[in-house]
Amino acid sequence: MPTTAAEHDAMRRALTLAATPGVPMVADTRRVGCVLLDDDGRTVAEGHHRGPGTPHAEADALARAGAAARGTTAVVTLEPCNHTGRTGPCTEALVAAGVRRVVYAEVDANPVAAGGRAVLEAAGIEVEAGLLADEAASLAEVYRVALREQRPFVTWKLATTLDGRSAAADGTSRWVSSTAARRDTHRLRALSDTMLVGTGTIAVDDPLLTVRDDQGRPAAVQPLRAVMGERDLPPDRRVLNDDAETVHLRTRDPYAALATLWDDGRQHVFLEGGPTLAAAFLRAGLVDRVVAYVAPMFLGSGLSSVADLGITTIAAALRPTVTDVTVLAGVDGEEPNVRFTMSAVEPVETPHHPKET
């Protein structure tokens, strides 16, 4: 049976649920959303995965629906799991609830959890796969890269002037980016599980490194604050307060830092460090996504957005692929900023792993 218009709408809603900000995601967990529809295409219940150890999206929706789940269609962003981990298999929950049909977007590539479709069909449940698969694949990019590379996915965020400066000659940087860009940054921070800066950024800028809403209120769930570098942290820095957990990674090696975070179960690092830290990750080819906020201003001097990469000719320039360009409207008379989103950056150096040296 082909998918219906109601199922398309439900899948778009499920994708939105899956991307709910503030949900802690670690190395072996996925962002998943689920919507239950009745025979007339009306929503019976919806749910999403809220982090390790919590019910999966299907189980969440089924619990909300109760007895009304019988005979429904489950529209879910990922193939229901056939695996017992922190929670039981979603396939068993769907069968037990009497769900009639399952429509999912993306096949589960994790061999430990895969095989859900076969189990559902064997139980007599109608299954349709691939609805809005491209949209689901984009959402799952972080998980796929982390699983393949066995390290956290790295998003590098920078705010820069038109001439590539992140701060003026006197060190001031508030504000290069606009209010809208800073709000957008908090939205992206909430989709990561770790924010990473260098000790220099902590010493000079004293960032709070938390997720806050448009009114400045802290989110209920905060990413880990990770500080990388060998120097001690001044005891009065705000990153050492109780607003979120903070870890000091006493290394200058980005491979070692990511290995430590991966071993701690971290899946997505949001890199907000200064030019030295950014250059280290770029040289190593450890930047999977670039989010650049460009402000309509010139400084002519000051701090560059990235330190020396050792590139001496234009032919050797790093050239990430632009995947999105969005104009962020000005707020309260501010000029708009432009957000560029770009794909993985190839390494300047030969990649290595700290365990190999």
Side-chain angles (χ1 to χ4, degrees):
M1 174 182 172
T3 53
T4 67
E7 289 168 351
H8 277 74
D9 291 342
M11 184 63 79
R12 292 188 182 92
R13 173 59 182 163
L15 288 165
T16 299
L17 290 168
T20 300
V23 174
M25 290 287 110
V26 295
D28 61 347
T29 57
R30 291 288 302 267
R31 292 182 177 274
V32 183
C34 177
V35 176
L36 299 179
L37 300 177
D38 65 16
D39 286 342
D40 296 320
R42 294 177 299 222
T43 298
V44 174
E46 56 186 33
H48 68 279
H49 190 202
R50 290 174 169 79
T54 66
H56 288 189
E58 299 95 317
D60 186 31
L62 292 171
R64 295 172 188 277
R70 183 163 297 278
T72 59
T73 294
V75 180
V76 61
T77 57
L78 180 68
E79 179 183 11
C81 71
N82 183 40
H83 168 63
T84 299
R86 297 181 182 93
T87 59
C90 292
T91 50
E92 289 185 6
L94 291 165
V95 172
V99 169
R100 176 184 63 84
R101 173 175 161 87
V102 172
V103 178
Y104 62 84
E106 188 183 22
V107 174
D108 196 333
N110 185 350
V112 175
R117 176 172 189 160
V119 173
L120 294 172
E121 290 180 332
I125 295 177
E126 184 180 346
V127 179
E128 187 70 32
L131 178 61
L132 301 186
D134 289 345
E135 288 87 340
S138 177
L139 180 69
E141 180 188 12
V142 167
Y143 174 81
R144 292 199 318 273
V145 171
L147 194 64
R148 183 186 71 231
E149 301 296 330
Q150 292 291 287
R151 62 161 176 81
F153 184 97
V154 176
T155 296
W156 173 40
K157 168 258 174 180
L158 67 151
T160 180
T161 63
L162 286 170
D163 53 347
R165 306 294 177 177
S166 61
D170 64 356
T172 55
S173 60
R174 297 183 180 179
W175 293 106
V176 168
S177 58
S178 67
T179 299
R182 296 193 297 276
R183 288 175 177 173
D184 195 60
T185 295
H186 281 275
R187 176 185 66 84
L188 295 178
R189 281 180 174 183
L191 294 174
S192 69
D193 56 51
T194 307
M195 289 182 287
L196 178 61
V197 300
T199 52
T201 295
I202 296 300
V204 174
D205 295 338
D206 190 21
L208 187 56
L209 286 186
T210 57
V211 175
R212 302 180 293 279
D213 65 15
D214 292 351
Q215 283 71 49
R217 296 172 299 207
V221 177
Q222 294 288 342
L224 174 72
R225 300 181 292 194
V227 183
M228 178 178 160
E230 296 174 345
R231 76 172 87 171
D232 291 337
L233 302 179
D236 61 346
R237 298 294 87 175
R238 296 193 297 168
V239 76
L240 297 176
N241 65 21
D242 295 329
D243 291 356
E245 181 184 357
T246 299
V247 61
H248 186 184
L249 306 173
R250 290 184 176 272
T251 179
R252 295 181 181 179
D253 184 345
Y255 301 96
L258 292 184
T260 298
L261 292 171
W262 178 255
D263 289 343
D264 189 45
R266 302 293 158 175
Q267 185 185 109
H268 187 184
V269 168
F270 198 66
L271 180 64
E272 292 200 60
T276 301
L277 194 62
F281 276 78
L282 285 170
R283 285 195 301 267
L286 293 173
V287 174
D288 302 298
R289 181 187 296 149
V290 180
V291 179
Y293 299 96
V294 181
M297 66 174 72
F298 295 97
L299 284 173
S301 63
L303 193 65
S304 174
S305 298
V306 61
D308 183 17
L309 294 173
I311 296 173
T312 58
T313 178
I314 196 71
L318 300 182
R319 300 178 185 272
T321 300
V322 177
T323 57
D324 179 73
V325 179
T326 299
V327 177
L328 301 173
V331 177
D332 296 332
E334 291 179 319
E335 293 294 326
N337 280 197
V338 178
R339 184 190 67 216
F340 291 87
T341 305
M342 292 162 275
S343 66
V345 181
E346 293 298 317
V348 177
E349 301 172 344
T350 301
H352 73 281
H353 191 283
K355 293 179 181 179
E356 298 173 352
T357 59

